[in-house]
Amino acid sequence: MKPAMETAAEENAEQSQEKKGCFECCIKCLGGVPYASLVATILCFSGVALFCGCGHVALTGTVSILEQHFSTTASDHALLSEVIQLMQYVIYGIASFFFLYGIILLAEGFYTTSAVKELHGEFKTTACGRCISGMFVFLTYVLGVAWLGVFGFSAVPVFMFYNIWSTCEVIKSLQTNMTVPGDQICVDIRQYGIIPWNAVPGKACGPILENICNTNEFYMSYHLFIVACAGAGATVIALLIYMMATTYNYAVLKFKSREDCCTKF
């Protein structure tokens, strides 16, 4: 029979060993978390959600504004309506694709980070793993360049709505100062190329333009386009983070594979 003090000491030693093992296991698991990919995934999901959700509603409001105030004949904006409807379907596809792609990139980040941290033994240097990492590096670069174009394209309606809003502010200031009649200040939507030059009326002047700026459709569409543009910018930043993370992980895996190859001899 062991003394009670020795038994208690052994139990304390076992408990401390278990706590130490649990702590080391937690540290090891936290070391395998791809924090850069995790931040990029959250930012990508947020940016794509803002771009797709706000862009879809803003396009619908834009069509309503054009039909009511700038192109009263349906045949004049029929092509534009079809293009906007097609863009809305494209938005659905973009949202679905990037939801899946973000999850895949996060999983790839877990794999490569764990491999770099040597958490999975020899699995870290397989040719298949390096090939998959290289494929994601290339695909992320391509998508990053494409989203730069999307970001630039999303800034066009913001620029157009800003010009209309600033013109309305000029009309208000002129009416306050009683200097120049506001009827002489107009906005011609036809110059942006979204409706043909024979569209009627095609432009709005003075109080009519000011009333357009005061409508809920204009206010909502303007601010939703701004948020959609910001979402596209957030997605570009997320893809840049993905680029850096995937390129670094691929480079480290490539280096480790060469190191393992050399150590075999």
Side-chain angles (χ1 to χ4, degrees), residues 63-78 80 189-190 194-196 198-203:
V63 173
S64 177
I65 293 172
L66 290 174
E67 290 177 349
Q68 295 178 11
H69 304 287
F70 294 99
S71 181
T72 55
T73 305
S75 59
D76 291 338
H77 58 267
L80 177 64
I189 297 297
R190 294 172 295 185
I194 58 177
I195 56 176
N198 58 355
V200 179
K203 65 178 181 179

Side-chain angles (χ1 to χ4, degrees), residues 2-263:
K2 292 184 179 179
M5 293 184 63
E6 292 183 2
T7 304
E10 290 178 358
E11 291 178 355
N12 291 333
E14 290 178 358
Q15 291 178 359
S16 63
Q17 188 68 24
E18 290 178 358
K19 291 181 180 179
K20 183 178 179 181
C22 182
F23 178 76
E24 290 178 353
C25 181
C26 291
I27 293 298
K28 188 176 182 180
C29 291
L30 290 175
V33 175
Y35 293 102
S37 296
L38 183 61
V39 172
T41 301
I42 295 173
L43 191 60
C44 182
F45 282 172
S46 302
V48 172
L50 289 175
F51 174 79
C52 294
C54 295
H56 182 275
V57 179
L59 287 173
T60 303
T62 302
V63 173
S64 177
I65 293 172
L66 290 174
E67 290 177 349
Q68 295 178 11
H69 304 287
F70 294 99
S71 181
T72 55
T73 305
S75 59
D76 291 338
H77 58 267
L79 179 60
L80 177 64
S81 300
E82 293 178 0
V83 171
I84 289 179
Q85 186 176 8
L86 178 62
M87 290 173 63
Q88 290 176 333
Y89 284 117
V90 170
I91 285 175
Y92 295 146
I94 290 175
S96 303
F97 172 79
F98 272 90
F99 177 77
L100 179 62
Y101 188 69
I103 295 176
I104 294 175
L105 275 185
L106 183 60
E108 192 272 342
F110 271 102
Y111 160 72
T112 52
T113 303
S114 298
V116 169
K117 298 290 185 179
E118 301 182 2
L119 299 179
H120 297 298
E122 292 299 323
F123 185 63
K124 67 181 183 295
T125 58
T126 58
C128 181
R130 295 193 300 274
C131 180
I132 293 174
S133 297
M135 180 190 68
F136 279 115
V137 171
F138 174 76
L139 185 58
T140 306
Y141 271 88
V142 173
L143 291 175
V145 174
W147 267 96
L148 281 174
V150 173
F151 176 67
F153 178 77
S154 63
V156 174
V158 176
F159 172 75
M160 182 183 70
F161 274 83
Y162 174 76
N163 282 343
I164 298 175
W165 174 81
S166 60
T167 305
C168 290
E169 292 298 314
V170 171
I171 293 175
K172 291 179 181 178
S173 64
L174 291 177
Q175 290 177 349
T176 302
N177 298 328
M178 296 295 180
T179 55
V180 179
D183 295 341
Q184 299 180 5
I185 300 177
C186 304
V187 169
D188 194 340
I189 297 297
R190 294 172 295 185
Q191 65 180 334
Y192 297 105
I194 58 177
I195 56 176
W197 282 103
N198 58 355
V200 179
K203 65 178 181 179
C205 304
I208 298 177
L209 180 60
E210 188 177 355
N211 291 333
I212 294 174
C213 293
N214 292 330
T215 58
N216 291 329
E217 289 85 359
F218 180 86
Y219 180 83
M220 289 297 297
S221 298
Y222 179 34
H223 289 85
L224 286 174
F225 273 125
I226 293 175
V227 177
C229 184
T235 306
V236 171
I237 295 174
L239 290 173
L240 288 175
I241 298 174
Y242 274 136
M243 288 180 196
M244 292 185 289
T246 53
T247 303
Y248 170 79
N249 288 333
Y250 176 75
V252 173
L253 287 177
K254 193 73 173 177
F255 176 77
K256 283 183 173 290
S257 67
R258 292 179 180 178
E259 191 178 58
D260 294 342
C261 180
C262 295
T263 55

